[in-house]
Amino acid sequence: MSYLFWFLLALGLSAILTPLIKRLALSWRVLDNPSISPRKIHVAPMPLLGGLAVFGAFLITIIGYIFISKPDFNIVPLKFFLGILLGGGILMLGGFLDDKYNLPPKISWLFPAVASLIVVLAGIGVGIKYISNPFGSPLFIGHNFSLFTFNFSLSALLVWLWIMGMVYTTKFLDGLDGLTSGIALVGGLTLFALSLNERVDQPITATLAVIFAGSLFGFLIYNFHPASIFLGEGGSTFAGFMLGVLAVVLGAKIATALLVMGIPIMDVAWVIVRRIFYKSSPFEGDRRHLHYRLLDIGFNQKQAVLTLYGISAVFGFTAVFLQSLGKLIALVLLFCVMIFLGLATVIVYKRQHPHIPDLFDYAEKEGIDPNQKT
């Protein structure tokens, strides 16, 4: 019942804060204008900054949890909570500046980098010495090394890279109404369920995960198609940040997070590789992502989003009951699903548009909306 209470409290706060943040975004003219890029699929300017509502609900509920439930800081130290909240605040600041002033990638990446560094300095994941190996003995990652006058541990570096990877996955995923917030919600609920598994049994982490999920659910009410507000830069990066942090706090349950976010991660990796191959910036958005491909072959926004929700939920909740080898097999199967989806969208697209080799490349070249009827 306590989990339900914290979930509903976060949900209620988020549902109350979102309309208020929407008014602020409209008042401050922090809007996503579809005219600035042909990859935008909404037709009218949309308020951003929705991540402030998610983070605000999360912040208030976490503070309430600390003062009311008085969690055992010997299990999850207070500095972990402070690191998560401070890191989230840094993301909100960077997100606001990016949404308002459209920061260049060489500046905007600093905010996730600092936020990820803060949780590492708070000690999250630094004490991890081994990671699971489905083929034998656990792998040791407790090595220490020096760079100039600073000492680092391999585990700290890996945790920083992991969180940064998750941040950019959800950032690039944020292309359809409710897509990032919904999949992050699935991830939060999956990690909540894993926290309650008798093999893990971490009630404090379970509460963190369920508060995160509730904060997203309250926002998703307004963000699902047709959305009235978007997450914005701060919200899209905070979603990945929290999923990455929760997976580490749970004891390096990286495989579970990978199964929830597997399709988006592989999609982002493929798109970045393709951008580099074609000598374009890996940080500039385009319409080559899988969710745009699904729209191109005839899916509407709800169908595309619900399809990706379903894949994440099936693989994520299955992972709760799998051991290391089972998760590896599931990851291989998920990779096969991604390959199938990628090939299927290309084949169907070519049959529907035999005279246009690639609708997205064509649209970008001509500066038109690839979803408009011609």
Side-chain angles (χ1 to χ4, degrees), residues 29-343:
R29 303 297 297 170
V30 185
L31 306 173
D32 189 359
N33 193 336
S35 65
I36 65 174
S37 172
R39 72 186 182 91
K40 305 289 185 180
I41 61 175
H42 53 286
V43 296
M46 290 288 291
L48 296 167
L49 303 182
L52 286 175
V54 176
F55 178 68
F58 180 81
L59 172 66
I60 295 170
T61 309
I62 288 295
I63 292 174
Y65 169 66
I66 290 173
F67 281 97
I68 295 173
S69 294
K70 295 180 172 56
D72 187 348
F73 294 136
N74 292 317
I75 299 174
V76 177
L78 177 60
K79 65 179 181 178
F80 281 23
F81 289 93
L82 297 178
I84 292 171
L85 296 179
L86 180 57
I90 294 293
L91 292 175
M92 292 304 112
L93 173 62
F96 172 80
L97 294 174
D98 196 15
D99 290 341
K100 179 65 176 177
Y101 301 108
N102 194 25
L103 301 178
K106 64 182 180 180
I107 294 178
S108 63
W109 82 276
L110 293 173
F111 294 94
V114 172
S116 302
L117 180 61
I118 285 172
V119 295
V120 171
L121 293 176
I124 294 178
V126 175
I128 297 174
K129 302 298 183 183
Y130 296 90
I131 57 175
S132 299
N133 176 13
F135 301 109
S137 301
L139 301 176
F140 181 70
I141 59 169
H143 304 284
N144 294 315
F145 60 94
S146 297
L147 181 64
F148 301 110
T149 60
F150 299 98
N151 294 320
F152 298 89
S153 69
L154 179 60
S155 60
L157 176 61
L158 292 177
V159 167
W160 185 84
L161 291 173
W162 160 252
I163 296 174
M164 285 291 288
M166 292 298 288
V167 163
Y168 272 90
T169 295
T170 52
K171 170 184 166 69
F172 290 158
L173 178 66
D174 194 26
L176 302 182
D177 293 356
L179 182 56
T180 294
S181 53
I183 288 185
L185 169 61
V186 171
L189 292 175
T190 299
L191 294 173
F192 165 69
L194 181 63
S195 300
L196 298 180
N197 188 295
E198 61 182 12
R199 300 193 312 271
V200 179
D201 190 23
Q202 293 189 22
I204 297 177
T205 309
T207 306
L208 280 170
V210 83
I211 290 173
F212 173 60
S215 302
L216 288 166
F217 204 151
F219 174 75
L220 188 59
I221 297 171
Y222 304 91
N223 187 231
F224 194 72
H225 186 73
S228 61
I229 184 172
F230 292 163
L231 274 172
E233 178 79 2
S236 64
T237 53
F238 180 66
F241 172 79
M242 281 304 304
L243 290 174
V245 168
L246 287 171
V248 172
V249 174
L250 271 168
K253 302 301 181 183
I254 306 301
T256 301
L258 285 175
L259 284 169
V260 175
M261 300 296 295
I263 293 292
I265 288 172
M266 286 185 281
D267 178 51
V268 166
W270 164 248
V271 170
I272 289 177
V273 168
R274 179 170 174 171
R275 289 172 187 169
I276 293 173
F277 181 79
Y278 285 103
K279 298 180 180 180
S280 59
S281 171
F283 301 106
E284 294 293 336
D286 57 35
R287 296 187 57 89
R288 297 185 178 97
H289 290 283
L290 177 62
H291 47 270
Y292 289 129
R293 298 284 186 177
L294 291 174
L295 293 184
D296 186 45
I297 64 173
F299 282 57
N300 60 39
Q301 282 207 56
K302 287 184 179 179
Q303 291 169 338
V305 167
L306 290 174
T307 297
L308 296 175
Y309 283 2
I311 294 172
S312 294
V314 168
F315 280 94
F317 283 104
T318 299
V320 174
F321 307 101
L322 296 176
Q323 299 294 335
S324 296
L325 183 57
K327 290 179 182 179
L328 177 62
I329 294 172
L331 284 169
V332 173
L333 180 59
L334 184 63
F335 179 76
C336 294
V337 170
M338 179 64 188
I339 296 297
F340 170 78
L341 285 174
L343 291 176

